[in-house]
């Protein structure tokens, strides 16, 4: 059972990095640092969008808009960190 929890921790850690990469890519795209007409860049952007948008969309409905600032990735990261701590403190020690 601990092996399953370790895999869950690994998945949550990888998804954390995907969220961070998606936020950085959106900044690069917004400031025209990357070429949006490049096929490779658009493929990476689409993959990051498809991986993060299903969890960010419900958060955006409840989080108020702060002008052009989107804080939904921060809220999602805080939720992932909370889930990791809950599992580490309350589930992991009692699993044999």
């Amino acid at each position: 059972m601990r092996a399953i929890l370790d895999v869950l921790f690994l998945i949550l850690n990888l998804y954390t990095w995907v969220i961070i990469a998606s936020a950085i890519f959106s900044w690069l795209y917004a400031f025209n640092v990357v070429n949006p007409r490049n096929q490779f860049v658009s493929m990476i952007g689409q993959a990051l969008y498809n991986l993060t948008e299903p969890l960010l969309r419900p958060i955006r409905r409840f989080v108020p808009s702060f002008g052009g600032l989107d804080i939904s990735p921060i809220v999602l990261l805080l939720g992932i960190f909370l889930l990791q701590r809950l599992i580490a403190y309350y589930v992991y020690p009692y699993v044999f």
Side-chain angles (χ1 to χ4, degrees), residues 72-86:
S72 58
I74 296 170
V75 173
L76 182 58
L77 286 174
L78 289 174
I80 289 173
F81 296 151
L82 175 68
L83 181 63
Q84 286 177 335
R85 296 298 170 233
L86 288 174

Side-chain angles (χ1 to χ4, degrees), residues 3-71:
I4 294 172
L5 290 176
D6 288 337
V7 170
L8 180 63
F9 278 131
L10 179 65
I11 291 170
L12 289 173
N13 282 331
L14 288 174
Y15 197 70
T16 299
W17 287 108
V18 168
I19 294 168
I20 293 169
S22 176
I24 292 171
F25 183 82
S26 70
W27 295 337
L28 294 175
Y29 188 83
F31 294 122
N32 289 326
V33 175
V34 295
N35 184 6
R37 285 176 248 109
N38 186 341
Q39 184 179 4
F40 182 70
V41 170
S42 65
M43 184 177 63
I44 290 174
Q46 189 64 35
L48 290 172
Y49 179 83
N50 289 338
L51 287 171
T52 58
E53 191 61 24
L55 290 177
L56 291 175
R57 189 179 309 123
I59 295 171
R60 286 189 185 118
R61 280 187 274 164
F62 295 108
V63 175
S65 176
F66 293 107
L69 183 63
D70 182 21
I71 63 166

